[in-house]
Amino acid sequence: VNESDWYYSAVLWAVSDGVTNGISDSVFGPNENCTRAQIVTFLWRAAGEPIVNGAIPFADVSEGSWYHSAVLWAVRNGITNGVSETTFDPNAICTRAQAVTLIYRSLKQE
């Protein structure tokens, strides 16, 4: 990430506020795809990592996974659904349309 990159300030904010980190200690990976789990986790962290209790309805989101709390928060707050009633598909690539929809829904929570 270079100062001349249009996303430079956003990356600095996201990394300094703990919303995300790079794909290694020295590489951010701005052109890499994001998964559904990553996008929901970014939003959850940006919201301050609120604690939500309850059971998660998705068989593919195991308790203790790095994205479990984020998915539970997003589901309980109407930010996301699964791809089915029992599947979240955390490793699926999140399209731009999906990301914008999740951001929109998360901002309505404020």
Side-chain angles (χ1 to χ4, degrees), residues 55-85:
I56 201 153
F58 307 123
D60 58 352
V61 177
S62 30
E63 191 157 343
S65 62
W66 58 268
Y67 50 85
H68 177 271
S69 295
V71 173
L72 182 58
W73 166 79
V75 168
R76 293 281 187 259
N77 286 287
I79 296 166
T80 191
N81 301 317
V83 296
S84 75
E85 287 187 26

Side-chain angles (χ1 to χ4, degrees), residues 86-107:
T86 59
T87 307
F88 180 71
D89 202 6
N91 296 317
I93 299 302
C94 192
T95 67
R96 289 171 57 95
Q98 290 169 333
V100 168
T101 300
L102 296 173
I103 292 166
Y104 171 76
R105 289 176 183 164
S106 72
L107 291 173

Side-chain angles (χ1 to χ4, degrees), residues 15 21-28:
V15 171
N21 50 23
I23 57 175
S24 77
D25 288 341
S26 61
V27 176
F28 181 72

Side-chain angles (χ1 to χ4, degrees), residues 9-23:
S9 295
V11 171
L12 286 182
W13 164 79
V15 171
S16 68
D17 280 17
V19 172
T20 188
N21 50 23
I23 57 175

Side-chain angles (χ1 to χ4, degrees), residues 40-64:
V40 168
T41 300
F42 297 159
L43 295 172
W44 174 70
R45 289 175 181 163
E49 299 184 20
I51 297 171
V52 179
N53 295 313
I56 201 153
F58 307 123
D60 58 352
V61 177
S62 30
E63 191 157 343

